[in-house]
Amino acid sequence: MVNVIGLGYIGLPTALMLASHGIDVVGTDYNRNLVKTLQSGHTTFKEDGLDELFHRAINAGIRFSDEYQETDIYIVSVPTPYDRFSKKVDAKYVVSAVEAVLKVCLAGAIIVIESTVSPGTIDKSVRPVIEAVGYKIGTDINLVHAPERIIPGNMVYELLHNNRTIGADDRAVGEKIKKLYAAFCEGEIVVTDIRTAEMTKVVENTYRAVNIAFANELAKICRYDKMDVYEIIRICNMHPRVNILQPGPGVGGHCISVDPWFLVGDYPHLANVINEAMETNDAMPAFVLHRIYDIMKEKGMKDLSRVGLYGLTYKENVDDMRESPTLQLLESQEKHLGYPLKVYDPLIIEDVVEHQYHNLDEFLEDIDFVVIMVAHDEIKKEQKRLENKIILDCRNVIEGAEVIHL
Ligand code: SAJ
């Protein structure tokens, strides 16, 4: 039996995928309400194909609990935030999950850490916890790091098709866990050591963050001298060895906007490009706010309450608001002016900010200037309804000669 610890964005789909491929799975989370929701037959977030996968897993016998199970394989998939001051990974949730596992696990159990951690975290934070209770790593307990790589918005597909990395102290243990993931994973699964697996995961997300920062910087250069950044990137990307990502109003989510900081925190004297890139991305919401002010001035518009932000989530077609550029923009705007702009997101049902709308028509009725922060499918389909509005399109999805870009 496999006990998956942490039933969030990664743990839940992983548990469901294992169960629906014939593995006996219990999913554990300390959040009782979340467990109750799952037990009552409902998923806890939206993702393409997740509900179907959930029902397959239920039919295959998956169980959910708030208790850790006595078994021999654990997959730990809990959040790893970063400390905003030191920029280092905060492994407290991983550590407390491992401590709880140690109280119930069978002799020789394998603990697989899926959570993203910086290189050396398992040595520094996890091994000492195991040794402190008198267990010998390699005999009483085995450690594996199998960082997840799936992208929100396409998780179910990527769980099935992405390549994976398994880091293990012991090759045979690594191969055993590879076989477990191979129950559903059709990609290549590489077995390596734990430190390499830790570093590769952080490097993948850092590569993407630096590439986005480069695109954001190009957008600023092009804005300064009236060049079309999208056309320039499009043509550059026709070169066989150039692949520049897209500029945007900021980088959100719990991965690209967080993981690269781990390298800055651990190697402050070496991670210069990474530090600059992260600062460039973090400055984008404020850049958008200044674009809003400039455009209002240009258009002779005075009333900020007639400006609306479309999109609250960190990216298109997901309902996740973690580190959302829109929330960051609102925060900096509130500091300056004391009252927020109007906001609407079709995927956010609950009230999270002031002046938030739940209906596109009402939102559009109350504004003259719309800022596209997130390119949800809805606005791509409904773009005709933006006619007669001033449009600042930070995602390059709205057509029309009058549309203003970043
Ligand atoms: N963004 C841009 N321009 C782009 C692409 C993205 O501004 O060209 C912005 C998005 O709008 C968003 C942020 O970056 O705010 C991050 O979005 P994303 O789609 O790039 O990535 P995540 O954070 O949803 O998922 C990433 C993925 N990592 C890589 O592609 C290397 C995913 O595969 C990882 O599993 C995930 O992080 C994770 O959990 O670490």
Side-chain angles (χ1 to χ4, degrees), residues 263-272:
L263 295 178
V264 177
D266 286 345
Y267 309 99
H269 53 303
L270 297 171
N272 302 324

Side-chain angles (χ1 to χ4, degrees), residues 148-150 201 205 208 245-246 252 255 314-315 395:
E148 60 80 18
R149 286 168 142 181
I150 55 178
K201 170 62 204 262
N205 280 353
R208 196 161 168 82
L245 288 167
Q246 294 297 304
C255 314
Y314 84 91
K315 68 173 186 180
R395 299 287 185 175

Side-chain angles (χ1 to χ4, degrees), residues 333-380:
Q333 190 254 339
E334 218 170 357
K335 264 185 225 146
H336 290 121
L337 293 164
Y339 61 90
L341 304 148
K342 297 198 160 62
V343 189
Y344 162 77
D345 191 307
L347 300 185
I348 302 300
I349 292 141
E350 71 274 29
D351 280 318
V352 284
V353 288
E354 273 184 76
H355 306 291
Q356 183 183 344
Y357 288 68
H358 297 282
N359 177 296
L360 181 61
D361 289 322
E362 287 169 17
F363 171 67
L364 293 177
E365 216 162 89
D366 286 356
I367 60 170
D368 303 314
F369 178 176
V370 61
V371 184
I372 307 296
M373 296 292 287
V374 185
H376 290 310
D377 284 347
E378 180 203 55
I379 201 63
K380 290 193 204 156

Side-chain angles (χ1 to χ4, degrees), residues 13 17 26 50 61 81 108 125 162 170 182 184 193 211 309 311 322 364 400:
M17 199 53 99
V26 175
L50 188 68
S125 303
N162 281 8
D170 180 304
F184 64 82
D193 60 88
N211 194 335
L309 305 178
R322 289 177 299 173
L364 293 177

Side-chain angles (χ1 to χ4, degrees), residues 385-405:
R385 288 159 75 178
L386 303 182
E387 267 167 20
N388 305 323
K389 303 258 180 266
I390 301 168
I391 305 168
L392 170 58
D393 180 5
C394 304
R395 299 287 185 175
N396 194 28
V397 289
I398 308 296
E399 284 159 23
E402 296 299 309
V403 175
I404 305 165
H405 291 111

Side-chain angles (χ1 to χ4, degrees), residues 10 116 148-152 158 162 201 204-208 212 215-216 244-257 259 314-316 323 325 373 395:
I10 304 299
T116 303
E148 60 80 18
R149 286 168 142 181
I150 55 178
I151 195 148
E158 290 209 348
N162 281 8
K201 170 62 204 262
E204 288 160 11
N205 280 353
T206 303
Y207 166 78
R208 196 161 168 82
I212 296 168
N216 285 334
I244 308 168
L245 288 167
Q246 294 297 304
V251 171
H254 204 59
C255 314
I256 309 275
S257 71
D259 303 349
Y314 84 91
K315 68 173 186 180
E316 69 284 359
E323 316 290 332
M373 296 292 287
R395 299 287 185 175

